Amino acid sequence: MKASINWLKEFVEFSLTPQEIAETLTMSGLEVEGMEETEDDTLLEVNVPPNRPDCLSINGIAREISAVLGLTLKQPHISVSESGAVERPAVEIKDAGLCMRYSARIIRGVRIAPSPQRISERLELHGIRAKNNVVDITNYVLLEMGHPLHAFDLDKLSGSSIVVRQAGSTDKFLTLDNDERTLSSEMLLIWDKEKPVAIAGVMGGLNTEVAGDTVNILLESACFNPASVRRTSKTLNLSTESSYRFERGADIEGLIKALDRAAHLIAEIAGGEVSAMADNYPASFIPVQIPFKFSKINAVLGIDINPQRAEELLTRLGFKIKREGDGPTVVPPCYRQDVRCDIDVIEEIARLYGYDKIPATLPAIRMQSELPAMRNLIKTVTESLRKSGYSEAINYSFLNPSAFDKLMLSPDDARRNLIKIRNPLKNEDEALRTTLIPALLENVRLNLSRGEKSLRFFELSKVFLPSGQKLPAEPLRLSAVYLKGADSSSLWQGKHDGFYDLKGALEGLFAELRIQDYSFAAEGFCEPYLHPGKSCAVRAGNMVIGSIGALHPAAAQGFDISGEIYLFELDAEKLLLNIPAGITYRPLPKYPYVERDMAIVVLNEIKSADVSAAILNAEPDMIESVSLFDIYTGAHIPEGKKSLAFAIRYRAGDRTLTDSEVDLIHSKILKQLADSFRAELRS
Amino acid sequence: MIEDILSIKDLVREEVNKAKDSKTIQAVRVKFLGKKGILTGKLKSLNSIPNKHRPEYGRVLNEVKTEIESILRKQEEFFKSAELENSLKANRIDVTVSGYYIPCGHQHPTSRVLDEIVDVFLSLGFRIEEGPEVELDYYNFEALNMPQDHPARDMQDTFYITDDVVLRTHTSPVQVHVMKKNRPPLRVIAPGKVYRCDADVSHTPMFQQIEGFMVDSHITMSDLKGVLEVFIHQIFGPKIPVRFRPSFFPFTEPSAEIDIGCVICGGTGCKVCKNTGWIEILGAGMINPRVFEMVGYDPEAYTGFAFGMGIERITMLKYGIDDIRLFFENDKRFLEQF
């Protein structure tokens, strides 16, 4: 809400500078978000919170200033002489729950003309376009007193009676902005004898517009149900100065004042004779009585304020304190319908007392901090992958379903089963992610387009999977992407397949998490977006926890990216399940080890991990470790075969192994490998 | 005879002096001390020396041998160390070539700031809880004193999944979940992603918040001020000015907004603080008794405070980032700065 300092000063005479008044308002709850200097005035941009419709006017803000500074509030000048014939518009309210009060006056013989400059200038300054004197005065009073008014051209009404009732079967209505609105049956309308003439509290109809030829008007000042106005305004996507105020709650007791202020100004400026007033007010407003314990102020705020001071602050705000019966009762003024119980009263006291005067204390600490396991996992993952060169990416949770075709997922892939947003910002963002892969590929695309050649990113985020319940399951996923650049800028670029870079990062993570029981299994594995020859499932314990592999070139093409790209995606919960409980110390070995190498020739399709496992299992008590240190194909190795070289470390727990013992085991292993893998010793 | 033996010493010295490397010294050693060496020969012929002179002859021979050995060793050591030096010097690499390492990756700036924030609150005895990102309207609004048709809902443009399922617009619903499941005392922070149907230079449809709350029998607004001041001073330094001013949130009463002195201009006024010298970083307040009623707490028995802040906003202020969209674009050049 914009508020001119000059206008405010008509109601409260303060001597503070605009900066000081802005500061005062901000510190008492009406944040001044901006200031605009004009030739001889300053315009404050006041952020009025939704619970304070009483401050959506110049008079309301002035009232607030008067309370904060302890100054007198002046009222706008109102003097209505009912000079017209004793005619009174008839007002019928069909549902008092939707329209709590409706008052009106008829003014005959107005002369429509442009407003005087002082009016039109103020309107324009506060963001309302000037139209003609009558319409401008309704808007002027709206700004001044906060109550929305509406003027109908009486001669365009059929008869001078008003009915307030819902739209029913009427489904179209042309509003003042010359827009045909589609109504729904429960919307509240203002009717004359025959037709709807306004959408209650939102906007009038073009059919009864006050225009240049208008002579007689009917002036409305009413109070409508906030929720009803809000629903109508939302449904029509039509928010007006009027609906904005009604949906926050209008001052049912103050609306006559607004009607009369407007009638007074119209008679003064546009002329005409004002009729008697119709006032249909089915159920009078009953002020709320709040039982109040002064001791609670200090209990909530942690200050030391005495009842007299509290009472003085409340009185400044127009609250009444009654001391009768069981204890004090606080009665807020009718325009403060946001104040309903004692905590609301305490907030008022705190505001006026000043938040800055509340001391800062620290509550006694009861230690209970511990990190949830998942939080720890996130920490370890971030640290481990960071050390392997991976940076953390955070992407939006939204997903464009077309990504699934680019990933070549089959039509019945579970990941296509999406949670959809009913009102997405963009159609492409209409669903929630079921996988993090598309976003990471999009990151690759963006960075490639900006000239980056290599990339290591990971993301830890939730995905959203339909669960059959109202709310989806939200498991945490860990994904990473590695773009192996044709990177001439690094001297040390390895010649190996980039798969092993990414796999190495993952194995480093497993080591950091102390997960030992894991494996990479290609058998029967198929992830459509991964290279079938360079991908596999990642297993930990007895479960598949994810997948890793090179991006399928066709998928890369779909995402409009090129280069060597590797990805993994893991289920973080399953990762968590496989972390061993604690660290248990194992005594250091007492006897030395003997290390022997073994180079064997096997068929290409033999998996080195299977051979390693076979070696280890051949004599588990004697073999401490097996490590593959060379894979060789080429000269001296038959076509279709490869040489694998292992370093085997022998050690016994109870003695020093002799050479002849080791020789025996070594040859036994070789024989077993010959049996199970048709392995031959490399000559 | 003795003179003969003594002259061998001079012979050795002469040859050693001529030698240019350890190899030659080795040859000298063989020539004099080897199996067929000159001195070795003399030692072998000791038997042919008359008994009378033998001890004297033997003593001199041994002295000379020791001396020769010493001469040879010294010179050999001299040559060897010089030769090692020379061979090392010859084996020279280009030390200016940069070393091999995998450059460390980077933590996302918001995660980094979030960790800092979490650490402060952990040290104040708070524990971490989380809630779902797809949330029932009830938890996101109703239970937080924002019934249907409440204008406060305008403060948060909402993504809807169905009529009663939304993407949470704030982390405050975690308050309700935690309070429903536990009894006071409670001291909890709840970080996470939230969503609002809004996108421009200063708004992204997804961002991160951290919620904190504390409920016990004697929690006051001055405790709220104390805890938040400690937090702000930890994150922005002990000298940063802080102010609390009244505001409105349906789920807190009294409500406050917390400003810090503008970190960009130092309070003199700039675009970022809209010339006010202050920047809003937190919303907070005393938990509205109506929220306590919703979760079945006796509002007369308990009081509590709650606060919430946007992680991106704090990160932007901390590092001087001027466009919130950068956080979710994942440009390597951006991420690598943190």
Side-chain angles (χ1 to χ4, degrees):
Chain A
M1 156 102 206
K2 289 193 165 112
S4 130
I5 295 271
N6 289 348
W7 203 350
L8 286 169
K9 282 187 169 170
E10 288 180 13
F11 298 107
V12 57
E13 284 174 33
F14 53 86
S15 51
L16 304 182
T17 65
Q19 275 75 19
E20 287 166 339
I21 205 72
E23 170 90 6
T24 302
L25 283 169
T26 297
M27 293 309 284
S28 64
L30 293 180
E31 186 194 359
V32 176
E33 290 182 314
M35 289 166 69
E36 200 183 306
E37 308 264 341
T38 66
E39 217 170 289
D40 55 349
D41 199 354
T42 304
L43 207 57
L44 304 178
E45 181 62 54
V46 184
N47 180 9
V48 178
N51 65 329
R52 295 298 306 276
D54 62 298
C55 291
L56 288 170
S57 66
I58 301 298
N59 190 256
I61 294 172
R63 185 162 58 204
E64 196 66 14
I65 294 172
S66 78
V68 176
L69 299 178
L71 301 172
T72 320
L73 178 72
K74 288 189 262 180
Q75 292 301 323
H77 179 59
I78 300 171
S79 143
V80 177
S81 59
E82 294 176 359
S83 49
V86 190
E87 63 170 339
R88 199 187 296 270
V91 175
E92 184 187 352
I93 297 172
K94 287 281 188 202
D95 184 344
L98 295 178
C99 175
M100 289 83 82
R101 187 173 188 179
Y102 196 106
S103 64
R105 283 184 188 275
I106 287 169
I107 304 173
R108 289 192 183 270
V110 296
R111 287 174 309 277
I112 301 297
S115 295
Q117 207 179 355
R118 64 184 165 95
I119 299 232
S120 56
E121 268 182 8
R122 273 201 175 157
L123 288 183
E124 305 266 344
L125 193 62
H126 291 76
I128 296 180
R129 188 174 301 164
K131 230 172 158 189
N132 60 48
N133 47 11
V134 168
V135 173
D136 291 352
I137 286 165
T138 61
N139 284 329
Y140 187 85
V141 174
L142 172 130
L143 287 177
E144 187 180 59
M145 315 214 19
H147 197 87
L149 303 169
H150 185 65
F152 298 96
D153 184 327
L154 183 67
D155 300 316
K156 294 176 190 156
L157 289 174
S158 130
S160 59
S161 63
I162 289 292
V163 181
V164 188
R165 67 170 166 89
Q166 285 166 298
S169 58
T170 308
D171 60 347
K172 294 272 187 262
F173 183 69
L174 196 59
T175 41
L176 271 175
D177 53 2
N178 202 10
D179 199 339
E180 188 173 71
R181 305 283 170 175
T182 305
L183 306 177
S184 51
S185 62
E186 76 288 348
M187 288 177 181
L188 191 68
L189 305 182
I190 312 297
W191 301 69
D192 64 12
K193 254 195 242 158
E194 297 162 348
K195 61 182 183 292
V197 292
I199 301 174
V202 181
M203 193 180 270
L206 198 62
N207 55 8
T208 50
E209 185 189 20
V210 172
D213 58 349
T214 299
V215 181
N216 304 312
I217 61 167
L218 184 142
L219 191 60
E220 162 203 292
S221 181
C223 183
F224 304 107
N225 178 298
S228 159
V229 172
R230 183 174 161 80
R231 275 196 297 268
T232 301
S233 154
K234 285 267 152 196
T235 312
L236 296 176
N237 194 17
L238 176 61
S239 178
T240 60
E241 295 279 349
S242 168
S243 70
Y244 190 81
R245 284 168 175 79
F246 277 126
E247 67 186 46
R248 281 161 176 72
D251 177 9
I252 197 165
E253 288 284 282
L255 61 81
I256 299 292
K257 243 199 244 173
L259 176 72
D260 286 349
R261 170 72 172 152
H264 159 87
L265 287 173
I266 289 171
E268 182 185 288
I269 291 163
E273 297 186 324
V274 181
S275 80
M277 182 176 66
D279 183 19
N280 193 337
Y281 192 4
S284 294
F285 173 76
I286 303 164
V288 62
Q289 316 270 326
I290 302 167
F292 194 72
K293 283 200 254 18
F294 280 93
S295 61
K296 199 168 174 185
I297 304 171
N298 298 340
V300 171
L301 300 179
I303 54 175
D304 189 19
I305 189 168
N306 61 43
Q308 291 70 34
R309 173 91 174 115
E311 191 167 339
E312 187 238 310
L313 294 175
L314 288 174
T315 310
R316 277 205 231 156
L317 284 164
F319 289 58
K320 293 195 169 59
I321 290 91
K322 292 199 271 184
R323 293 173 188 278
E324 50 202 37
D326 292 341
T329 308
V330 173
V331 185
C334 58
Y335 50 83
R336 289 303 305 275
Q337 287 179 49
D338 59 307
V339 179
R340 282 180 222 141
C341 55
D342 59 357
I343 195 71
D344 302 327
V345 177
I346 291 171
E347 179 174 54
E348 293 305 300
I349 294 166
R351 278 196 318 116
L352 248 63
Y353 177 76
Y355 280 15
D356 51 336
K357 296 200 195 82
I358 297 175
T361 55
L362 275 182
I365 290 186
R366 305 190 209 190
M367 289 308 292
Q368 54 173 359
S369 309
E370 76 209 29
L371 276 184
M374 190 50 94
R375 199 82 215 157
N376 269 326
L377 177 79
I378 291 171
K379 264 193 141 146
T380 312
V381 166
T382 304
E383 265 319 284
S384 173
L385 290 178
R386 227 170 59 70
K387 279 185 249 165
S388 298
Y390 287 78
S391 291
E392 184 189 11
I394 300 181
N395 285 289
Y396 292 125
S397 301
F398 313 116
L399 174 129
N400 183 346
S402 73
F404 293 140
D405 295 332
K406 296 181 194 168
L407 291 177
M408 303 176 291
L409 300 190
S410 69
D412 56 351
D413 192 294
R415 284 166 289 195
R416 286 186 182 264
N417 202 355
L418 293 165
I419 304 284
K420 289 207 172 163
I421 299 169
R422 224 163 51 181
N423 56 332
L425 274 177
K426 291 181 287 182
N427 283 338
E428 305 93 87
D429 291 341
E430 64 170 352
L432 295 177
R433 304 199 262 187
T434 54
T435 161
L436 309 185
I437 298 293
L440 286 175
L441 293 177
E442 180 51 34
N443 297 155
V444 170
R445 198 200 56 74
L446 176 114
N447 281 285
L448 278 172
S449 77
R450 294 184 179 175
E452 295 295 335
K453 289 176 179 161
S454 71
L455 209 64
R456 288 184 174 91
F457 275 179
F458 76 95
E459 182 171 9
L460 258 167
S461 281
K462 285 177 169 183
V463 295
F464 302 85
L465 311 175
S467 64
Q469 313 286 310
K470 252 190 170 166
L471 299 183
E474 300 184 6
L476 190 69
R477 290 276 191 270
L478 167 61
S479 292
V481 64
Y482 170 47
L483 166 68
K484 183 175 179 172
D487 197 351
S488 52
S489 62
S490 171
L491 193 63
W492 309 112
Q493 191 71 26
K495 299 266 186 289
H496 52 271
D497 197 295
F499 175 86
Y500 297 111
D501 283 313
L502 183 65
K503 187 186 173 193
L506 185 51
E507 290 182 296
L509 172 62
F510 284 146
E512 196 111 4
L513 294 171
R514 290 176 292 105
I515 297 178
Q516 290 176 332
D517 182 13
Y518 64 84
S519 61
F520 293 80
E523 281 76 29
F525 175 79
C526 173
E527 182 68 278
Y529 61 85
L530 294 180
H531 183 308
K534 292 186 182 179
S535 63
C536 61
V538 182
R539 298 182 62 95
N542 56 4
M543 52 185 105
V544 172
I545 65 166
S547 61
I548 182 170
L551 183 66
H552 197 293
Q557 200 174 17
F559 281 90
D560 199 18
I561 50 182
S562 58
E564 270 187 73
I565 295 160
Y566 305 89
L567 296 156
F568 70 67
E569 182 159 56
L570 304 181
D571 184 324
E573 263 94 8
K574 288 184 180 164
L575 200 56
L576 193 62
L577 287 175
N578 282 286
I579 296 175
I583 297 175
T584 313
Y585 162 75
R586 273 171 320 193
L588 304 182
K590 288 197 180 69
Y591 300 95
Y593 64 81
V594 177
E595 201 160 78
R596 294 280 170 85
D597 293 347
M598 176 183 284
I600 55 168
V601 177
V602 291
L603 285 171
N604 267 339
E605 47 275 22
I606 297 293
K607 301 262 183 300
S608 66
D610 295 343
V611 181
S612 293
I615 296 173
L616 206 54
N617 290 331
E619 200 71 62
D621 293 341
M622 301 288 189
I623 299 173
E624 192 173 77
S625 65
V626 180
S627 51
L628 178 71
F629 67 86
D630 189 39
I631 304 175
Y632 174 77
T633 52
H636 311 300
I637 303 291
E639 187 77 7
K641 291 194 172 185
K642 63 184 171 186
S643 154
L644 300 175
F646 297 93
I648 305 173
R649 184 173 284 193
Y650 298 93
R651 187 179 342 235
D654 54 355
R655 64 186 189 284
T656 302
L657 288 173
T658 62
D659 272 351
S660 55
E661 266 181 299
V662 173
D663 288 343
L664 214 63
I665 310 169
H666 207 69
S667 49
K668 180 183 149 196
I669 293 170
L670 202 57
K671 190 168 174 309
Q672 283 187 4
L673 297 184
D675 290 346
S676 22
F677 300 104
R678 289 198 285 148
E680 293 159 24
L681 195 63
R682 184 175 169 193
S683 46
Chain B
M1 283 297 275
I2 299 279
E3 282 73 30
D4 278 1
I5 296 168
L6 290 174
S7 72
I8 295 177
K9 251 171 28 186
D10 297 332
L11 277 173
V12 170
R13 279 212 180 88
E14 203 175 304
E15 294 210 19
V16 164
N17 284 342
K18 276 191 272 176
K20 296 248 160 24
D21 55 19
S22 62
K23 231 174 166 179
T24 320
I25 299 294
Q26 190 55 35
V28 176
R29 175 176 281 123
V30 170
K31 182 172 172 189
F32 290 92
L33 300 178
K35 275 182 189 162
K36 291 172 185 165
I38 297 170
L39 198 71
T40 317
K42 297 276 180 210
L43 276 164
K44 275 180 184 161
S45 63
L46 202 60
N47 285 338
S48 60
I49 303 294
N51 280 346
K52 193 175 92 183
H53 297 294
R54 206 180 290 161
E56 166 72 0
Y57 194 80
R59 186 185 55 79
V60 173
L61 259 178
N62 273 320
E63 273 176 19
V64 168
K65 190 187 174 197
T66 310
E67 210 168 325
I68 291 172
E69 272 174 344
S70 160
I71 291 165
L72 289 170
R73 193 170 57 243
K74 269 187 198 150
Q75 197 56 28
E76 192 176 27
E77 273 168 17
F78 169 78
F79 280 130
K80 281 220 164 136
S81 75
E83 280 158 14
L84 178 64
E85 262 333 281
N86 286 334
S87 78
L88 293 181
K89 277 177 188 158
N91 188 12
R92 198 178 274 280
I93 61 164
D94 182 354
V95 296
T96 64
V97 171
S98 77
Y100 171 62
Y101 71 107
I102 298 178
C104 246
H106 303 263
Q107 193 179 12
H108 195 278
T110 57
S111 300
R112 199 186 167 92
V113 168
L114 180 66
D115 277 359
E116 274 182 56
I117 295 172
V118 166
D119 285 347
V120 174
F121 285 109
L122 288 180
S123 74
L124 290 170
F126 284 72
R127 68 188 159 91
I128 302 178
E129 294 273 357
E130 279 181 58
E133 292 174 27
V134 181
E135 183 60 280
L136 292 173
D137 182 280
Y138 174 81
Y139 284 98
N140 196 73
F141 292 121
E142 299 262 354
L144 291 164
N145 197 29
M146 273 184 275
Q148 283 292 342
D149 303 317
H150 195 293
R153 289 194 176 201
D154 279 356
M155 293 160 91
Q156 306 177 353
D157 288 326
T158 311
F159 284 116
Y160 283 90
I161 304 293
T162 62
D163 278 341
D164 59 348
V165 177
V166 301
L167 296 188
R168 66 174 175 189
T169 56
H170 48 181
T171 40
S172 305
V174 183
Q175 274 182 48
V176 182
H177 286 294
V178 172
M179 285 197 272
K180 276 195 161 179
K181 255 183 273 163
N182 304 275
R183 305 295 305 171
L186 289 174
R187 213 181 256 247
V188 172
I189 46 167
K193 288 173 183 159
V194 301
Y195 302 86
R196 295 198 192 162
C197 197
D198 203 354
D200 58 42
V201 193
S202 46
H203 298 90
T204 48
M206 180 187 88
F207 57 102
Q208 300 168 86
Q209 272 191 344
I210 189 164
E211 183 83 6
F213 61 98
M214 185 163 175
V215 182
D216 207 340
S217 42
H218 298 290
I219 301 295
T220 66
M221 192 145 169
S222 77
D223 293 331
L224 168 66
K225 276 186 84 170
V227 166
L228 290 182
E229 279 186 13
V230 166
F231 159 70
I232 289 166
H233 288 145
Q234 292 268 340
I235 297 294
F236 290 101
K239 294 205 178 109
I240 193 93
V242 183
R243 75 174 187 186
F244 289 67
R245 58 184 166 79
S247 184
F248 168 75
F249 306 104
F251 37 97
T252 51
E253 182 110 41
S255 300
E257 247 154 351
I258 290 89
D259 299 335
I260 58 170
C262 181
V263 291
I264 310 294
C265 63
T268 54
C270 67
K271 217 176 79 188
V272 175
C273 64
K274 293 184 195 152
N275 282 316
T276 61
W278 294 97
I279 290 184
E280 176 197 324
I281 58 158
L282 264 157
M286 300 302 289
I287 297 174
N288 195 318
R290 273 163 256 186
V291 175
F292 283 151
E293 282 163 20
M294 292 276 203
V295 298
Y297 286 7
D298 176 3
E300 292 304 315
Y302 296 113
T303 50
F305 63 71
F307 56 85
M309 66 191 111
I311 307 295
E312 283 75 11
R313 180 160 178 80
I314 301 216
T315 309
M316 289 170 85
L317 293 174
K318 224 177 137 65
Y319 299 127
I321 298 165
D322 58 0
D323 186 342
I324 190 172
R325 292 171 296 195
L326 285 167
F327 289 121
F328 306 107
E329 206 179 63
N330 299 306
D331 187 313
K332 187 178 167 186
R333 297 164 302 176
F334 174 74
L335 295 176
E336 278 180 353
Q337 295 181 33
F338 303 96

